[in-house]
Amino acid sequence: QPKNFTMKRSRKNASPSMSSATSAVVGARAGAVKTESDSTEKRRLFSRMKNRETTHIKPKDLTFILRNVAILMNNGVSLPKALGTLAKEKNLEQYAGMLDGIRRKVETGEPFSSALRQFPESFDSIIINQIKVGERAGTMGETLDRLAAQREKAGNLKALVKKKLAYPVVLM
């Protein structure tokens, strides 16, 4: 692939034939006054980094996802439709790509547990194996509901332990 731009001159001797964005960056590095295009470019890059999708799900968000998929499935919504609905959820927009990927795998006939296995940083083996049991037993909604309840209890216990351990530190 040919390179679009190669800069052979030093920053001090930057030629005026460079693109305005490149000269603005070179000028900014040399201590020049920032232009409007610089701030626009920085805002665009920051928003792209901020909206970057992630494959690691926060524990509270994972519990939220499991609980809502369980509710939707218990009310007769198919698993792919439930995953698609959650992917469109405003609070879960950072996980939309991952949820849509899982939905596509399930729609093509892959089991839900093996679709989740592709994201080991979010779904541990306990979750995957419990879901696999729920798939085989035909009790996916109840299994997801129990998983969400178990995760909520574990989160509450963890918060309580942290609170109890922090109390002696406050007294000192």
Side-chain angles (χ1 to χ4, degrees):
Q1 293 178 338
K3 292 183 180 178
N4 292 339
F5 177 80
T6 55
M7 190 164 133
K8 295 181 181 178
R9 298 179 183 215
S10 69
R11 291 181 189 162
K12 293 179 182 177
N13 298 328
S15 69
S17 63
M18 287 188 284
S19 70
S20 62
T22 306
S23 61
V25 170
V26 171
R29 287 182 183 159
V33 177
K34 293 181 183 179
T35 64
E36 185 177 330
S37 63
D38 287 340
S39 61
T40 305
E41 181 70 19
K42 285 181 182 179
R43 277 195 304 260
R44 190 170 53 99
L45 288 173
F46 178 72
S47 71
R48 202 179 319 153
M49 285 176 16
K50 182 179 164 190
N51 294 330
R52 185 177 69 192
E53 292 181 353
T54 183
T55 57
H56 176 72
I57 301 178
K58 296 176 187 172
K60 285 185 178 183
D61 290 339
L62 180 57
T63 303
F64 179 80
I65 290 169
L66 293 172
R67 173 74 65 201
N68 284 293
V69 170
I71 290 169
L72 290 169
M73 288 186 70
N74 287 334
N75 286 311
V77 177
S78 67
L79 179 60
K81 193 161 197 131
L83 291 169
T85 302
L86 286 177
K88 294 174 187 172
E89 180 73 30
K90 181 75 172 156
N91 296 339
L92 301 174
E93 66 185 8
Q94 61 188 352
Y95 312 120
M98 181 175 60
L99 290 170
D100 273 335
I102 294 169
R103 179 189 54 81
R104 283 192 301 273
K105 296 277 186 187
V106 171
E107 284 178 338
T108 60
E110 190 171 324
F112 185 45
S113 58
S114 64
L116 295 179
R117 195 176 308 266
Q118 296 173 352
F119 301 98
E121 57 276 350
S122 294
F123 304 101
D124 60 6
S125 61
I126 293 173
I127 292 174
I128 292 170
N129 289 329
Q130 286 182 339
I131 289 174
K132 186 183 277 188
V133 169
E135 288 171 338
R136 291 184 180 169
T139 58
M140 179 70 84
E142 294 145 14
T143 300
L144 291 171
D145 199 30
R146 270 188 263 119
L147 267 171
Q150 178 185 9
R151 292 185 58 80
E152 285 172 351
K153 287 179 185 176
N156 291 340
L157 180 63
K158 189 176 182 180
L160 183 65
V161 168
K162 282 183 181 178
K163 184 178 173 183
K164 298 286 183 181
L165 290 176
Y167 184 69
V169 173
V170 171
L171 292 177
M172 292 180 155

